[in-house]
Amino acid sequence: MLDINLIRENPEYVKERLATRSVEYITIIDRILEIDKRRREIIKEIESLRAERNEKSKLFPIYKKEGKDVSEIQHRVKQIGEEISSLEKSLNEIESEFNYLLLTIPNIPAKDVPVGKDENDNVEVRRWGKPREFNFTPLPHYEIGEKLGILDFDRGSKLSGSRFTVMYKDAARLERALINFMLDIHTKEHGYTEVWSPVLVKPEILQGTGQLPKFKEDLYKIEGEDLYLIPTAEVTLTNLHSDEILSEDQLPLYYTAYTPCFRKEAGSHGKDVRGILRQHQFDKVELVKIVKPEDSYNELEKLVNEAEKILQLLEIPYRVVLLCTGDMGFSAAKTYDIEVWIPSQGRYREISSCSNTEDFQARRAKIRYKDKNGKNHYVHTLNGSGLAVGRTLIAIMENYQNPDGTFNIPEILKKYL
């Protein structure tokens, strides 16, 4: 959530920066300012009326003691009460719209984020590894998996519908091995604390990280209960400290967790239909950092390097891309995508997004810290995939495939199998 004081004091700056995401936000900011003005006017009226009522009420014992008629004062006090009640009703309606609109405004892009409309305007930062040159036509992972009998799309569809898959034998074991491998690297080498968290959360938890209210259509809700399935462990790990004031010496906090993730993939009809690249249920190892504001951009670079380390150890080529303003996620101020090489497609595909949300999520989730002088500040939060497990499995199957339709296991994983 943006700071309302920033919107009030620098409206043109806010509109200019948000317009690099979409021009629709200019109108919303204007509406927020309009409502905020009326909201503050009503609050001022209510406070004035309450002050008048207090003054009138003080006259009651004086008038009674002096034997004066109090009917006029009683009438005015009653009238003030009715006016306050009417104004409070109006204020509740206005604040409801005001708060909703604030929750639908995305984060302001950092100044060094390239301006652009979509993925075509993203900027490549670096590449690691050289894509393998095959002396045969590389197969897509779904053909390899079906031929080996380890990926079953028909039974996945029979059990749950489209975009669900059943894994057998080596695929199932490799999925489990990758999870353990990723968690081991992040906890033992990168200093993260491993967390096991629920995958069902309350709506206010999703609001804290920015999934609600704007992206409700992409979430799975439990019928008859006020609970949602998480789309990523970013939701639970960030909100571990919602409504808390941390001490400065607790920071930074690094958390990692493996969870299944659930997304309706609204708007992705027809995209990546075959295989396990885009599923409604998928496994992911998530990385979350809660840090002091002055450290957050150094921590972002470290976060990207920590996610990259997994692919380096697996010896799979990838590139790092800085997302433009039009392609960034709702809560992000700056995002790097790590894209892994997929031989059958002859292109790089996203396997991790690493973002600094600055204090955007912290304001929504009310996560603060107290400095050495006793002053409270909002923390900065960061998140990234470390990595998406299913997409890592795809990258292994395709980059390590053999002419006979089998594939090799990266050396680093053999001890996990």
mmCIF file of all heavy atoms in Angstrom, residues 200-241:
data_model
loop_
_atom_site.group_PDB
_atom_site.id
_atom_site.type_symbol
_atom_site.label_atom_id
_atom_site.label_comp_id
_atom_site.label_asym_id
_atom_site.label_seq_id
_atom_site.Cartn_x
_atom_site.Cartn_y
_atom_site.Cartn_z
ATOM 1 N N LEU A 200 -3.359 -22.942 3.837
ATOM 2 C CA LEU A 200 -4.650 -22.273 3.906
ATOM 3 C C LEU A 200 -4.505 -21.032 4.779
ATOM 4 O O LEU A 200 -4.002 -21.117 5.896
ATOM 5 C CB LEU A 200 -5.718 -23.200 4.510
ATOM 6 C CG LEU A 200 -6.203 -24.351 3.631
ATOM 7 C CD1 LEU A 200 -7.026 -25.323 4.460
ATOM 8 C CD2 LEU A 200 -7.036 -23.830 2.471
ATOM 9 N N VAL A 201 -4.945 -19.891 4.259
ATOM 10 C CA VAL A 201 -4.773 -18.640 5.009
ATOM 11 C C VAL A 201 -6.044 -17.795 4.978
ATOM 12 O O VAL A 201 -6.903 -17.941 4.107
ATOM 13 C CB VAL A 201 -3.600 -17.802 4.448
ATOM 14 C CG1 VAL A 201 -2.280 -18.504 4.673
ATOM 15 C CG2 VAL A 201 -3.808 -17.471 2.977
ATOM 16 N N LYS A 202 -6.120 -16.869 5.933
ATOM 17 C CA LYS A 202 -7.242 -15.937 6.024
ATOM 18 C C LYS A 202 -7.108 -14.852 4.950
ATOM 19 O O LYS A 202 -6.000 -14.554 4.490
ATOM 20 C CB LYS A 202 -7.247 -15.275 7.406
ATOM 21 C CG LYS A 202 -7.323 -16.243 8.570
ATOM 22 C CD LYS A 202 -7.084 -15.507 9.885
ATOM 23 C CE LYS A 202 -7.042 -16.448 11.071
ATOM 24 N NZ LYS A 202 -6.725 -15.730 12.330
ATOM 25 N N PRO A 203 -8.217 -14.223 4.577
ATOM 26 C CA PRO A 203 -8.148 -13.183 3.532
ATOM 27 C C PRO A 203 -7.244 -12.013 3.879
ATOM 28 O O PRO A 203 -6.570 -11.462 3.010
ATOM 29 C CB PRO A 203 -9.612 -12.741 3.359
ATOM 30 C CG PRO A 203 -10.346 -13.268 4.543
ATOM 31 C CD PRO A 203 -9.613 -14.473 4.983
ATOM 32 N N GLU A 204 -7.189 -11.626 5.163
ATOM 33 C CA GLU A 204 -6.352 -10.480 5.520
ATOM 34 C C GLU A 204 -4.865 -10.778 5.327
ATOM 35 O O GLU A 204 -4.047 -9.863 5.145
ATOM 36 C CB GLU A 204 -6.604 -10.037 6.966
ATOM 37 C CG GLU A 204 -6.367 -11.080 8.037
ATOM 38 C CD GLU A 204 -7.636 -11.838 8.442
ATOM 39 O OE1 GLU A 204 -8.535 -11.994 7.578
ATOM 40 O OE2 GLU A 204 -7.718 -12.261 9.614
ATOM 41 N N ILE A 205 -4.500 -12.057 5.350
ATOM 42 C CA ILE A 205 -3.110 -12.440 5.111
ATOM 43 C C ILE A 205 -2.756 -12.236 3.639
ATOM 44 O O ILE A 205 -1.689 -11.724 3.292
ATOM 45 C CB ILE A 205 -2.875 -13.902 5.537
ATOM 46 C CG1 ILE A 205 -3.141 -14.072 7.042
ATOM 47 C CG2 ILE A 205 -1.466 -14.367 5.196
ATOM 48 C CD1 ILE A 205 -2.312 -13.166 7.938
ATOM 49 N N LEU A 206 -3.688 -12.595 2.751
ATOM 50 C CA LEU A 206 -3.484 -12.363 1.323
ATOM 51 C C LEU A 206 -3.523 -10.881 0.982
ATOM 52 O O LEU A 206 -2.837 -10.415 0.072
ATOM 53 C CB LEU A 206 -4.550 -13.112 0.518
ATOM 54 C CG LEU A 206 -4.363 -14.632 0.476
ATOM 55 C CD1 LEU A 206 -5.682 -15.332 0.208
ATOM 56 C CD2 LEU A 206 -3.339 -15.004 -0.585
ATOM 57 N N GLN A 207 -4.296 -10.126 1.735
ATOM 58 C CA GLN A 207 -4.332 -8.672 1.541
ATOM 59 C C GLN A 207 -2.982 -8.069 1.916
ATOM 60 O O GLN A 207 -2.504 -7.131 1.284
ATOM 61 C CB GLN A 207 -5.431 -8.050 2.388
ATOM 62 C CG GLN A 207 -5.560 -6.532 2.231
ATOM 63 C CD GLN A 207 -6.722 -5.971 3.016
ATOM 64 O OE1 GLN A 207 -7.886 -6.246 2.722
ATOM 65 N NE2 GLN A 207 -6.428 -5.178 4.042
ATOM 66 N N GLY A 208 -2.357 -8.645 2.946
ATOM 67 C CA GLY A 208 -1.081 -8.124 3.416
ATOM 68 C C GLY A 208 0.012 -8.163 2.371
ATOM 69 O O GLY A 208 0.850 -7.257 2.309
ATOM 70 N N THR A 209 0.024 -9.190 1.529
ATOM 71 C CA THR A 209 1.065 -9.291 0.507
ATOM 72 C C THR A 209 0.607 -8.831 -0.873
ATOM 73 O O THR A 209 1.393 -8.828 -1.819
ATOM 74 C CB THR A 209 1.595 -10.734 0.416
ATOM 75 O OG1 THR A 209 0.513 -11.658 0.559
ATOM 76 C CG2 THR A 209 2.617 -11.009 1.504
ATOM 77 N N GLY A 210 -0.666 -8.442 -0.996
ATOM 78 C CA GLY A 210 -1.121 -7.812 -2.237
ATOM 79 C C GLY A 210 -1.949 -8.672 -3.175
ATOM 80 O O GLY A 210 -2.350 -8.212 -4.235
ATOM 81 N N GLN A 211 -2.243 -9.932 -2.779
ATOM 82 C CA GLN A 211 -3.066 -10.770 -3.658
ATOM 83 C C GLN A 211 -4.538 -10.362 -3.619
ATOM 84 O O GLN A 211 -5.251 -10.498 -4.610
ATOM 85 C CB GLN A 211 -2.934 -12.250 -3.264
ATOM 86 C CG GLN A 211 -1.636 -12.914 -3.711
ATOM 87 C CD GLN A 211 -0.460 -12.565 -2.844
ATOM 88 O OE1 GLN A 211 -0.612 -12.101 -1.705
ATOM 89 N NE2 GLN A 211 0.744 -12.771 -3.352
ATOM 90 N N LEU A 212 -4.991 -9.893 -2.471
ATOM 91 C CA LEU A 212 -6.365 -9.394 -2.337
ATOM 92 C C LEU A 212 -6.309 -7.892 -2.088
ATOM 93 O O LEU A 212 -5.376 -7.391 -1.458
ATOM 94 C CB LEU A 212 -7.084 -10.100 -1.172
ATOM 95 C CG LEU A 212 -7.534 -11.528 -1.397
ATOM 96 C CD1 LEU A 212 -8.182 -12.090 -0.122
ATOM 97 C CD2 LEU A 212 -8.515 -11.650 -2.556
ATOM 98 N N PRO A 213 -7.298 -7.154 -2.623
ATOM 99 C CA PRO A 213 -8.485 -7.641 -3.328
ATOM 100 C C PRO A 213 -8.312 -7.778 -4.833
ATOM 101 O O PRO A 213 -9.169 -8.349 -5.513
ATOM 102 C CB PRO A 213 -9.510 -6.539 -3.031
ATOM 103 C CG PRO A 213 -8.687 -5.296 -2.972
ATOM 104 C CD PRO A 213 -7.378 -5.704 -2.347
ATOM 105 N N LYS A 214 -7.229 -7.292 -5.396
ATOM 106 C CA LYS A 214 -7.109 -7.140 -6.847
ATOM 107 C C LYS A 214 -7.073 -8.454 -7.620
ATOM 108 O O LYS A 214 -7.568 -8.541 -8.741
ATOM 109 C CB LYS A 214 -5.875 -6.307 -7.187
ATOM 110 C CG LYS A 214 -5.880 -5.766 -8.608
ATOM 111 C CD LYS A 214 -4.784 -4.741 -8.810
ATOM 112 C CE LYS A 214 -4.756 -4.228 -10.243
ATOM 113 N NZ LYS A 214 -5.931 -3.421 -10.580
ATOM 114 N N PHE A 215 -6.498 -9.516 -7.040
ATOM 115 C CA PHE A 215 -6.303 -10.756 -7.788
ATOM 116 C C PHE A 215 -7.125 -11.918 -7.236
ATOM 117 O O PHE A 215 -6.707 -13.072 -7.270
ATOM 118 C CB PHE A 215 -4.811 -11.101 -7.815
ATOM 119 C CG PHE A 215 -3.983 -10.002 -8.411
ATOM 120 C CD1 PHE A 215 -3.266 -9.131 -7.598
ATOM 121 C CD2 PHE A 215 -3.957 -9.805 -9.777
ATOM 122 C CE1 PHE A 215 -2.518 -8.103 -8.139
ATOM 123 C CE2 PHE A 215 -3.212 -8.778 -10.340
ATOM 124 C CZ PHE A 215 -2.492 -7.924 -9.519
ATOM 125 N N LYS A 216 -8.302 -11.593 -6.746
ATOM 126 C CA LYS A 216 -9.184 -12.588 -6.155
ATOM 127 C C LYS A 216 -9.532 -13.706 -7.139
ATOM 128 O O LYS A 216 -9.657 -14.875 -6.767
ATOM 129 C CB LYS A 216 -10.465 -11.909 -5.665
ATOM 130 C CG LYS A 216 -11.385 -12.811 -4.875
ATOM 131 C CD LYS A 216 -12.571 -12.028 -4.322
ATOM 132 C CE LYS A 216 -13.474 -12.913 -3.477
ATOM 133 N NZ LYS A 216 -14.615 -12.144 -2.916
ATOM 134 N N GLU A 217 -9.665 -13.338 -8.430
ATOM 135 C CA GLU A 217 -10.083 -14.321 -9.432
ATOM 136 C C GLU A 217 -9.020 -15.383 -9.702
ATOM 137 O O GLU A 217 -9.310 -16.420 -10.291
ATOM 138 C CB GLU A 217 -10.440 -13.617 -10.747
ATOM 139 C CG GLU A 217 -9.276 -13.080 -11.547
ATOM 140 C CD GLU A 217 -8.692 -11.786 -11.001
ATOM 141 O OE1 GLU A 217 -9.258 -11.195 -10.064
ATOM 142 O OE2 GLU A 217 -7.640 -11.347 -11.523
ATOM 143 N N ASP A 218 -7.799 -15.166 -9.242
ATOM 144 C CA ASP A 218 -6.732 -16.132 -9.488
ATOM 145 C C ASP A 218 -6.497 -17.050 -8.291
ATOM 146 O O ASP A 218 -5.624 -17.909 -8.327
ATOM 147 C CB ASP A 218 -5.429 -15.395 -9.823
ATOM 148 C CG ASP A 218 -4.521 -16.212 -10.731
ATOM 149 O OD1 ASP A 218 -5.040 -17.006 -11.521
ATOM 150 O OD2 ASP A 218 -3.291 -16.055 -10.622
ATOM 151 N N LEU A 219 -7.304 -16.874 -7.229
ATOM 152 C CA LEU A 219 -7.124 -17.637 -6.001
ATOM 153 C C LEU A 219 -8.189 -18.716 -5.851
ATOM 154 O O LEU A 219 -9.315 -18.560 -6.323
ATOM 155 C CB LEU A 219 -7.187 -16.710 -4.790
ATOM 156 C CG LEU A 219 -6.154 -15.580 -4.725
ATOM 157 C CD1 LEU A 219 -6.518 -14.609 -3.608
ATOM 158 C CD2 LEU A 219 -4.750 -16.141 -4.513
ATOM 159 N N TYR A 220 -7.831 -19.788 -5.167
ATOM 160 C CA TYR A 220 -8.797 -20.841 -4.826
ATOM 161 C C TYR A 220 -9.311 -20.588 -3.411
ATOM 162 O O TYR A 220 -8.537 -20.558 -2.459
ATOM 163 C CB TYR A 220 -8.143 -22.222 -4.879
ATOM 164 C CG TYR A 220 -7.916 -22.743 -6.283
ATOM 165 C CD1 TYR A 220 -6.657 -22.683 -6.872
ATOM 166 C CD2 TYR A 220 -8.965 -23.297 -7.020
ATOM 167 C CE1 TYR A 220 -6.443 -23.165 -8.155
ATOM 168 C CE2 TYR A 220 -8.760 -23.781 -8.301
ATOM 169 C CZ TYR A 220 -7.500 -23.714 -8.867
ATOM 170 O OH TYR A 220 -7.294 -24.185 -10.138
ATOM 171 N N LYS A 221 -10.628 -20.420 -3.292
ATOM 172 C CA LYS A 221 -11.249 -20.188 -1.986
ATOM 173 C C LYS A 221 -11.957 -21.452 -1.523
ATOM 174 O O LYS A 221 -12.567 -22.167 -2.340
ATOM 175 C CB LYS A 221 -12.257 -19.027 -2.062
ATOM 176 C CG LYS A 221 -12.793 -18.609 -0.685
ATOM 177 C CD LYS A 221 -13.719 -17.405 -0.803
ATOM 178 C CE LYS A 221 -14.079 -16.862 0.594
ATOM 179 N NZ LYS A 221 -14.722 -17.835 1.449
ATOM 180 N N ILE A 222 -11.874 -21.723 -0.230
ATOM 181 C CA ILE A 222 -12.546 -22.887 0.331
ATOM 182 C C ILE A 222 -14.021 -22.545 0.538
ATOM 183 O O ILE A 222 -14.356 -21.610 1.270
ATOM 184 C CB ILE A 222 -11.906 -23.305 1.681
ATOM 185 C CG1 ILE A 222 -10.400 -23.514 1.500
ATOM 186 C CG2 ILE A 222 -12.581 -24.567 2.225
ATOM 187 C CD1 ILE A 222 -10.014 -24.516 0.444
ATOM 188 N N GLU A 223 -14.877 -23.299 -0.105
ATOM 189 C CA GLU A 223 -16.316 -23.020 -0.037
ATOM 190 C C GLU A 223 -16.828 -23.159 1.400
ATOM 191 O O GLU A 223 -16.534 -24.128 2.094
ATOM 192 C CB GLU A 223 -17.082 -23.996 -0.946
ATOM 193 C CG GLU A 223 -18.558 -23.675 -1.070
ATOM 194 C CD GLU A 223 -19.263 -24.574 -2.065
ATOM 195 O OE1 GLU A 223 -18.587 -25.393 -2.731
ATOM 196 O OE2 GLU A 223 -20.501 -24.475 -2.179
ATOM 197 N N GLY A 224 -17.574 -22.139 1.839
ATOM 198 C CA GLY A 224 -18.175 -22.171 3.168
ATOM 199 C C GLY A 224 -17.233 -21.750 4.284
ATOM 200 O O GLY A 224 -17.622 -21.724 5.449
ATOM 201 N N GLU A 225 -15.969 -21.445 3.937
ATOM 202 C CA GLU A 225 -15.005 -21.006 4.947
ATOM 203 C C GLU A 225 -14.263 -19.783 4.443
ATOM 204 O O GLU A 225 -14.072 -19.601 3.244
ATOM 205 C CB GLU A 225 -13.995 -22.116 5.260
ATOM 206 C CG GLU A 225 -14.612 -23.334 5.912
ATOM 207 C CD GLU A 225 -13.556 -24.306 6.403
ATOM 208 O OE1 GLU A 225 -12.601 -23.843 7.064
ATOM 209 O OE2 GLU A 225 -13.671 -25.503 6.119
ATOM 210 N N ASP A 226 -13.811 -18.935 5.354
ATOM 211 C CA ASP A 226 -13.077 -17.731 4.980
ATOM 212 C C ASP A 226 -11.588 -18.038 4.892
ATOM 213 O O ASP A 226 -10.754 -17.419 5.556
ATOM 214 C CB ASP A 226 -13.348 -16.620 6.010
ATOM 215 C CG ASP A 226 -13.349 -15.240 5.357
ATOM 216 O OD1 ASP A 226 -13.393 -15.170 4.117
ATOM 217 O OD2 ASP A 226 -13.298 -14.242 6.093
ATOM 218 N N LEU A 227 -11.255 -19.009 4.051
ATOM 219 C CA LEU A 227 -9.875 -19.455 3.877
ATOM 220 C C LEU A 227 -9.562 -19.630 2.397
ATOM 221 O O LEU A 227 -10.431 -20.034 1.613
ATOM 222 C CB LEU A 227 -9.636 -20.776 4.595
ATOM 223 C CG LEU A 227 -9.634 -20.767 6.129
ATOM 224 C CD1 LEU A 227 -9.612 -22.189 6.665
ATOM 225 C CD2 LEU A 227 -8.438 -19.979 6.673
ATOM 226 N N TYR A 228 -8.308 -19.337 2.032
ATOM 227 C CA TYR A 228 -7.846 -19.478 0.653
ATOM 228 C C TYR A 228 -6.605 -20.357 0.622
ATOM 229 O O TYR A 228 -5.805 -20.363 1.565
ATOM 230 C CB TYR A 228 -7.466 -18.114 0.073
ATOM 231 C CG TYR A 228 -8.603 -17.157 -0.160
ATOM 232 C CD1 TYR A 228 -9.116 -16.390 0.878
ATOM 233 C CD2 TYR A 228 -9.147 -16.990 -1.436
ATOM 234 C CE1 TYR A 228 -10.147 -15.481 0.658
ATOM 235 C CE2 TYR A 228 -10.172 -16.079 -1.669
ATOM 236 C CZ TYR A 228 -10.669 -15.332 -0.620
ATOM 237 O OH TYR A 228 -11.694 -14.428 -0.841
ATOM 238 N N LEU A 229 -6.421 -21.068 -0.498
ATOM 239 C CA LEU A 229 -5.171 -21.784 -0.736
ATOM 240 C C LEU A 229 -4.119 -20.782 -1.200
ATOM 241 O O LEU A 229 -4.418 -19.892 -2.000
ATOM 242 C CB LEU A 229 -5.373 -22.858 -1.807
ATOM 243 C CG LEU A 229 -6.152 -24.099 -1.363
ATOM 244 C CD1 LEU A 229 -6.608 -24.905 -2.571
ATOM 245 C CD2 LEU A 229 -5.278 -24.971 -0.465
ATOM 246 N N ILE A 230 -2.909 -20.905 -0.705
ATOM 247 C CA ILE A 230 -1.875 -19.926 -1.038
ATOM 248 C C ILE A 230 -1.377 -20.104 -2.481
ATOM 249 O O ILE A 230 -1.218 -21.227 -2.959
ATOM 250 C CB ILE A 230 -0.680 -19.988 -0.067
ATOM 251 C CG1 ILE A 230 -0.014 -21.376 -0.098
ATOM 252 C CG2 ILE A 230 -1.091 -19.606 1.338
ATOM 253 C CD1 ILE A 230 1.329 -21.416 0.613
ATOM 254 N N PRO A 231 -1.098 -18.992 -3.181
ATOM 255 C CA PRO A 231 -0.493 -19.074 -4.509
ATOM 256 C C PRO A 231 1.027 -19.166 -4.444
ATOM 257 O O PRO A 231 1.682 -19.484 -5.429
ATOM 258 C CB PRO A 231 -0.928 -17.755 -5.157
ATOM 259 C CG PRO A 231 -1.030 -16.801 -4.018
ATOM 260 C CD PRO A 231 -1.485 -17.607 -2.828
ATOM 261 N N THR A 232 1.598 -18.884 -3.260
ATOM 262 C CA THR A 232 3.035 -18.906 -3.038
ATOM 263 C C THR A 232 3.298 -18.793 -1.538
ATOM 264 O O THR A 232 2.510 -18.182 -0.808
ATOM 265 C CB THR A 232 3.742 -17.750 -3.767
ATOM 266 O OG1 THR A 232 5.075 -17.607 -3.262
ATOM 267 C CG2 THR A 232 3.011 -16.427 -3.562
ATOM 268 N N ALA A 233 4.412 -19.348 -1.084
ATOM 269 C CA ALA A 233 4.762 -19.247 0.334
ATOM 270 C C ALA A 233 5.207 -17.847 0.723
ATOM 271 O O ALA A 233 5.362 -17.553 1.911
ATOM 272 C CB ALA A 233 5.862 -20.249 0.684
ATOM 273 N N GLU A 234 5.402 -16.966 -0.250
ATOM 274 C CA GLU A 234 5.629 -15.546 0.044
ATOM 275 C C GLU A 234 4.543 -15.018 0.977
ATOM 276 O O GLU A 234 4.810 -14.215 1.871
ATOM 277 C CB GLU A 234 5.618 -14.749 -1.265
ATOM 278 C CG GLU A 234 5.544 -13.249 -1.119
ATOM 279 C CD GLU A 234 5.052 -12.576 -2.395
ATOM 280 O OE1 GLU A 234 5.142 -13.187 -3.477
ATOM 281 O OE2 GLU A 234 4.575 -11.428 -2.305
ATOM 282 N N VAL A 235 3.314 -15.500 0.773
ATOM 283 C CA VAL A 235 2.165 -15.046 1.562
ATOM 284 C C VAL A 235 2.348 -15.367 3.039
ATOM 285 O O VAL A 235 2.201 -14.499 3.903
ATOM 286 C CB VAL A 235 0.866 -15.683 1.025
ATOM 287 C CG1 VAL A 235 -0.311 -15.360 1.944
ATOM 288 C CG2 VAL A 235 0.580 -15.218 -0.400
ATOM 289 N N THR A 236 2.680 -16.596 3.342
ATOM 290 C CA THR A 236 2.800 -16.994 4.747
ATOM 291 C C THR A 236 4.096 -16.493 5.377
ATOM 292 O O THR A 236 4.103 -16.026 6.520
ATOM 293 C CB THR A 236 2.712 -18.520 4.888
ATOM 294 O OG1 THR A 236 3.582 -19.143 3.929
ATOM 295 C CG2 THR A 236 1.295 -19.004 4.661
ATOM 296 N N LEU A 237 5.195 -16.569 4.643
ATOM 297 C CA LEU A 237 6.490 -16.176 5.218
ATOM 298 C C LEU A 237 6.529 -14.680 5.522
ATOM 299 O O LEU A 237 7.032 -14.265 6.574
ATOM 300 C CB LEU A 237 7.628 -16.549 4.268
ATOM 301 C CG LEU A 237 7.828 -18.044 4.007
ATOM 302 C CD1 LEU A 237 9.012 -18.272 3.071
ATOM 303 C CD2 LEU A 237 8.032 -18.815 5.308
ATOM 304 N N THR A 238 6.014 -13.857 4.628
ATOM 305 C CA THR A 238 6.003 -12.404 4.868
ATOM 306 C C THR A 238 5.107 -12.061 6.037
ATOM 307 O O THR A 238 5.437 -11.210 6.875
ATOM 308 C CB THR A 238 5.543 -11.658 3.604
ATOM 309 O OG1 THR A 238 6.377 -12.015 2.498
ATOM 310 C CG2 THR A 238 5.600 -10.145 3.806
ATOM 311 N N ASN A 239 3.955 -12.718 6.118
ATOM 312 C CA ASN A 239 2.972 -12.398 7.146
ATOM 313 C C ASN A 239 3.257 -13.045 8.502
ATOM 314 O O ASN A 239 2.472 -12.871 9.438
ATOM 315 C CB ASN A 239 1.575 -12.795 6.669
ATOM 316 C CG ASN A 239 0.976 -11.753 5.746
ATOM 317 O OD1 ASN A 239 0.532 -10.698 6.190
ATOM 318 N ND2 ASN A 239 0.967 -12.058 4.448
ATOM 319 N N LEU A 240 4.357 -13.767 8.626
ATOM 320 C CA LEU A 240 4.733 -14.291 9.944
ATOM 321 C C LEU A 240 4.804 -13.161 10.964
ATOM 322 O O LEU A 240 4.535 -13.356 12.151
ATOM 323 C CB LEU A 240 6.093 -14.989 9.868
ATOM 324 C CG LEU A 240 6.152 -16.357 9.187
ATOM 325 C CD1 LEU A 240 7.598 -16.814 9.059
ATOM 326 C CD2 LEU A 240 5.326 -17.384 9.934
ATOM 327 N N HIS A 241 5.152 -11.963 10.499
ATOM 328 C CA HIS A 241 5.330 -10.834 11.409
ATOM 329 C C HIS A 241 4.312 -9.718 11.167
ATOM 330 O O HIS A 241 4.581 -8.560 11.508
ATOM 331 C CB HIS A 241 6.756 -10.302 11.292
ATOM 332 C CG HIS A 241 7.790 -11.296 11.708
ATOM 333 N ND1 HIS A 241 7.993 -11.651 13.032
ATOM 334 C CD2 HIS A 241 8.644 -12.054 10.983
ATOM 335 C CE1 HIS A 241 8.943 -12.568 13.093
ATOM 336 N NE2 HIS A 241 9.359 -12.826 11.868
#
